[in-house]
Amino acid sequence: MMAQAKPSETFVEVRDLKRVFDVSRPWLNRVIERQPKAFLKAVDGLSFDIRRGETFALVGESGSGKSTVARMAVGLLPVTSGSVLIDGVSMTAVKDSQTRQQLRKRIQMIFQDPYASLNPRWRVERIIAEPIHAFGLLKGEQVAARVGELLTLVGLHPDDGRKYPHEFSGGQRQRIAIARALASSAEFIVCDEPTSALDVSVQAQILNLMRDLQKEFGLTYLFISHNLAVVRHMADRIGVMYLGRLVEISEGKKLFSAPRHPYTRMLLDAVPDLGMTGRQRQMVAGEIPNPINPPSGCTFHPRCPLANERCKREAPAMIDGVACHAAEEGRMP
């Protein structure tokens, strides 16, 4: 049986999480061309907490490592080092199969492409019932009744369970994916770009559904997105990632009203100014460097308008929610 953790405000703890991929060329090529092995640090020392019942969002450009974090958080990808604790139980250190099974029941994931995440050969009722059977939660007619309840809960009809995924629209398929995530009575749901493949009007419907379900069941979300408008609508707290590291963590409203890291400011300045405030804006310049050979010191310094010699030499530590020498030295305008 899983050890009962004491009730705590912190539900998910990520500590010094790292993931390194070996991207070396084949052995013979390296011998002939005299090349060393090459490694890519997709995630480099991430640490953050998620409080019970809140939505913590990770944002950043493509290639910053957000989806890698999402897959490690649910155990789909092994960690190189560091730890992920769910309600005090380590995802990485637990060895007992029964404890691992109990822990996995509490965790689910909603993927970016709802069609790719649903088995096209299975009827919807079988797709949603899969976690129920896998964890032995219900048997017989109770399973069918539970599937009908879940379909109704996400705005579909119980009769839709007899259909196949291709018979639904993109938004409806994502509703099916949400119903499957709720089938095991999960408490922690990782959402990896859950609305990026949907039309804008459908995005709003799915996001509102997710918020309603969170309030009803007390769900905890790790929300991965590059869409700042979506993050503003969903997140209680936000972590900004750049090249595998967190550069800023802040409350949602505070991040949008008073960003403290130059990269965060550049991301926000790239959002259209619908209010036409006329404020000076600094558009995102350049591209994310090669993660196999990242810049020295602060990895953002080649693109940062406030970089100095210290930034090129020394990687900044996270101080008061921001990892930036300019912020620490009071050089932020």
Side-chain angles (χ1 to χ4, degrees), residues 176-188:
I176 295 168
I178 294 172
R180 179 181 60 184
L182 295 174
S184 66
S185 300
E187 301 168 60
F188 175 48

Side-chain angles (χ1 to χ4, degrees), residues 52-305:
R52 191 184 301 272
E54 83 165 347
T55 299
F56 182 85
L58 285 177
V59 301
E61 295 169 285
S62 297
S64 59
K66 307 184 300 297
S67 293
T68 303
V69 174
R71 282 160 173 74
M72 287 193 289
V74 297
L76 290 178
L77 191 64
V79 305
T80 301
S81 64
S83 62
V84 178
L85 279 74
I86 309 295
D87 205 6
V89 180
S90 174
M91 285 278 296
T92 52
V94 63
K95 301 297 182 183
D96 179 67
S97 59
Q98 188 174 4
T99 303
R100 184 182 294 273
Q101 185 83 340
Q102 290 293 322
L103 184 59
R104 288 191 180 279
K105 185 176 70 172
R106 307 175 72 185
I107 306 167
Q108 287 293 336
M109 185 166 182
I110 301 172
F111 295 90
Q112 178 176 354
D113 186 350
Y115 190 65
S117 67
L118 304 176
N119 191 330
R121 297 185 179 183
W122 285 10
R123 296 183 189 273
V124 166
E125 58 189 3
R126 184 180 177 186
I127 291 172
I128 297 176
E130 183 184 16
I132 300 175
H133 291 304
F135 296 114
L137 302 178
L138 299 171
K139 294 182 179 180
E141 296 181 356
Q142 293 178 325
V143 176
R146 177 59 174 160
V147 170
E149 291 175 4
L150 290 167
L151 285 170
T152 303
L153 188 65
V154 298
L156 298 175
H157 194 276
D159 291 342
D160 289 330
R162 293 193 287 270
K163 299 178 182 178
Y164 290 92
H166 73 268
E167 299 180 68
F168 296 89
S169 67
Q172 290 173 325
R173 285 195 286 262
Q174 198 62 289
R175 290 175 185 268
I176 295 168
I178 294 172
R180 179 181 60 184
L182 295 174
S184 66
S185 300
E187 301 168 60
F188 175 48
I189 299 180
V190 176
C191 313
D192 186 11
E193 301 274 8
T195 60
S196 63
L198 307 176
D199 293 337
V200 175
S201 59
V202 180
Q203 284 185 18
Q205 296 173 17
I206 297 300
L207 293 173
N208 288 332
L209 171 64
M210 292 177 65
R211 293 190 67 175
D212 291 341
L213 293 172
Q214 183 177 35
K215 292 178 182 178
E216 184 172 351
F217 298 105
L219 302 174
T220 302
Y221 290 146
L222 172 59
F223 197 91
I224 310 296
S225 182
H226 66 274
N227 188 329
L228 292 174
V230 169
V231 169
R232 188 169 194 167
H233 179 70
M234 287 293 294
D236 300 300
R237 290 189 303 129
I238 302 171
V240 182
M241 283 189 69
Y242 184 78
L243 212 64
R245 297 179 181 178
L246 276 172
V247 297
E248 184 171 355
I249 298 178
S250 177
E251 299 292 330
K253 293 182 179 179
K254 184 178 178 181
L255 184 93
F256 283 92
S257 62
R260 295 183 293 162
H261 196 282
Y263 179 60
T264 309
R265 292 185 176 187
M266 292 173 71
L267 288 178
L268 294 177
D269 282 345
V271 178
D273 185 9
L274 298 180
M276 294 185 289
T277 60
R279 64 183 176 86
Q280 187 175 358
R281 299 161 69 87
Q282 176 70 45
M283 297 302 176
V284 178
E287 298 179 354
I288 289 184
N290 184 354
I292 300 175
N293 185 27
S296 60
C298 174
T299 53
F300 185 62
H301 84 257
R303 304 171 65 186
C304 181

Side-chain angles (χ1 to χ4, degrees), residues 309-327:
E309 289 301 318
R310 184 189 179 193
C311 300
K312 298 175 183 179
R313 297 191 315 266
E314 181 184 335
M318 181 70 73
I319 301 175
D320 192 27
V322 62
C324 177
H325 294 311

